[in-house]
């Protein structure tokens, strides 16, 4: 069964850091551009970052550029999101999924079903 498994979320104070992991289950992650998406309370899911199959291109939404870094290790079938200098507005459930860059950020291609996501809470 094609599936993403996200992990690494938790509670962090403003200015702190978290590293999220996305592991592909049942398929080869290297075949896809993979991105991170988040859904904040009361808001729709938005694209955060997208990385190409061979890490040749990375794209970010403006609100996280310079603070978040997406990376991948195809040998481990895993994509990561390093989140630094986190802000309260980064709070939400984070998901990984197939992606495509857009003029203003990142969009999902919907090729693989969403996983359960991992909760990220930034609070004082």
């Amino acid at each position: 069964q094609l599936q993403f498994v996200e992990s690494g979320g938790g509670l962090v104070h403003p200015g702190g850091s978290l590293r999220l992991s996305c592991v592909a289950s049942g398929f080869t992650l290297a075949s896809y551009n993979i991105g991170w998406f988040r859904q904040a309370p009361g808001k729709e899911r938005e694209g955060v970052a997208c990385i190409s199959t061979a890490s040749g291109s990375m794209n970010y939404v403006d609100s996280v550029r310079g603070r978040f870094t997406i990376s991948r290790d195809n040998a481990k079938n895993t994509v990561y999101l390093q989140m630094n200098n986190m802000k309260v507005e980064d709070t939400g459930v984070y998901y990984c999924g197939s992606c495509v860059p857009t003029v203003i950020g990142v969009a999902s291609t919907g090729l693989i079903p969403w996983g359960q996501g991992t909760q990220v809470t930034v609070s004082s």
Side-chain angles (χ1 to χ4, degrees), residues 16-90:
S17 298
L18 285 174
R19 189 190 192 198
L20 307 183
S21 297
C22 169
V23 179
S25 177
F27 68 100
T28 301
L29 199 65
S31 300
Y32 302 89
N33 299 335
I34 301 296
W36 284 95
F37 306 79
R38 67 187 180 190
Q39 187 166 20
K43 299 179 65 177
E44 295 185 353
R45 192 175 306 186
E46 67 169 345
V48 174
C50 182
I51 187 168
S52 60
T53 55
S55 302
S57 179
M58 282 77 74
N59 295 273
Y60 302 91
V61 68
D62 286 346
S63 61
V64 310
R65 188 174 293 108
R67 300 188 298 116
F68 291 8
T69 303
I70 189 170
S71 62
R72 68 191 300 159
D73 187 338
N74 289 336
K76 295 181 178 179
N77 221 29
T78 302
V79 171
Y80 306 95
L81 184 68
Q82 179 66 49
M83 304 184 291
N84 296 325
N85 192 25
M86 298 185 70
K87 303 177 179 180
V88 172
E89 51 263 44
D90 294 323

Side-chain angles (χ1 to χ4, degrees), residues 54 94 103 120:
Y94 283 68
V103 67
V120 171

Side-chain angles (χ1 to χ4, degrees), residues 108-119:
S108 173
T109 64
L111 296 176
I112 308 295
W114 299 110
Q116 295 299 307
T118 184
Q119 176 70 50

